[in-house]
Structure formats: C-alpha cells, structure tokens
Amino acid sequence: MPEGADGRGRSGPVGAEGSSETGSSGSGGSAASRFANRVSAGRGGASGGEPLTLAQRTRSGPGSLLIAVYGIFALAATARSALQITTKFSHAPLAYSLSAFAAVVYVVATVMLVRGDGASRRVAFASCAVELVGVLVIGALSVLEPSWFPEATVWSDFGGGYGYVPLVLPVLGLLWLRRTSRG
C-alpha cells in the first residue's frame, strides 16, 4: 500500500484538518469542535448562527435527561395507580387516589417539558411545584400518621420507595426551568 493511503481510497491521516473525513476546509477545526463551540456559546440553530429557542433550551442537555426521568415516572405511576385502583381500591383509597394524582402530575410535567414553549414552561413549573409540595406533605404525613397510608404512594416517605427521586426530581425540574428561562 502506498504511503498515506488508508486502503479505502483516501489519502492522508484520517480525521486530519482538511481531509474528506471532517469536511473542513482548514478553518475552524472539525465538525465536532465547531458544533461544541456553537453549543457552548448557546447557539445551535440549523444554520449554526441563531440562538437556541426557549423550547430547544428546555429540551437540550440535562433537560433531555430530566424529560426522560419524568417520562419514566409518568409511565410507572400511571401503570401502578391504574392497577391499584382497578384491583384493590377499597383497601387504601387515599393512597391509591394520591398515586393517580401523582401520575397525572408526572404526565403533565413530561408533556409540558417536551413542548417547552412559554405557556408550557409555566404549566411545567406549576407541575413541579405541586409535585414538590405533594412529596413534602404526603411524605411528612406518611411518617407522622402511617395509619392513613396502609399502602405506599409514590410520594410516601418522601419518595423513599423510589430512591428519593420523587423528592429530588421536582427540585431539579424547577432549577432547570429557571436556568433555561434566560436567553
């Protein structure tokens, strides 16, 4: 094989500036570094020059992980509450009703975070605030008056049955919404 050939019809080092791999003409580095520079500068529109929209900021970076966790909790809480209500509602109506309410809160938060526009973010903020109050109130009541909760809810014991994620998640949601509200 001749010197510089890589066996696939290309010559020169793979990934070097100016090579056909990066598509760069030598000004600005690789495509990956140009993208990273745009993202770190808060710019990432289609042409690379526009700032991210409010919805894009909401869904980007850690926001996508936040949405994924909310989505998982929405599915889990909905399935759990549906099963509890349809099979044994009379055993613990308060706990199962609270589980259904938590499921609705998680679904609303998930959908509004995905939408990410101004009105949706306000609803997501309210959902996260309701969730936080719910976790704190139900958590405290489940510790102080365990007889009221013969069965656990997502928010019982401050979300201890779920690794305290229900306690941390609304705080992270509120912080993320606050952080991404500034352009």
Side-chain angles (χ1 to χ4, degrees), residues 7 11 18 35 51 75 77 92 118 128 151 168:
S11 61
F35 176 76
L75 288 171
C128 291
E151 295 289 328
V168 175

Side-chain angles (χ1 to χ4, degrees), residues 106-123:
Y106 288 128
V107 168
V108 169
T110 303
V111 171
M112 294 301 111
L113 287 168
V114 167
R115 288 189 54 187
D117 59 40
S120 299
R121 288 171 52 89
R122 286 187 291 278
V123 174

Side-chain angles (χ1 to χ4, degrees), residues 18 24 26 29 46 81 101 140 155 160 167 174 180:
S24 171
S81 66
F101 179 72
W155 296 341
L167 179 61
L174 291 168
T180 58

Side-chain angles (χ1 to χ4, degrees), residues 69 72-81 84 99 102 106 135 152-169:
V69 174
I72 290 167
F73 268 78
L75 288 171
T78 300
R80 176 183 177 162
S81 66
Q84 290 170 329
S99 288
Y106 288 128
V135 171
T153 73
V154 175
W155 296 341
S156 296
D157 299 318
F158 303 100
Y162 291 85
Y164 299 98
V165 173
L167 179 61
V168 175
L169 193 58

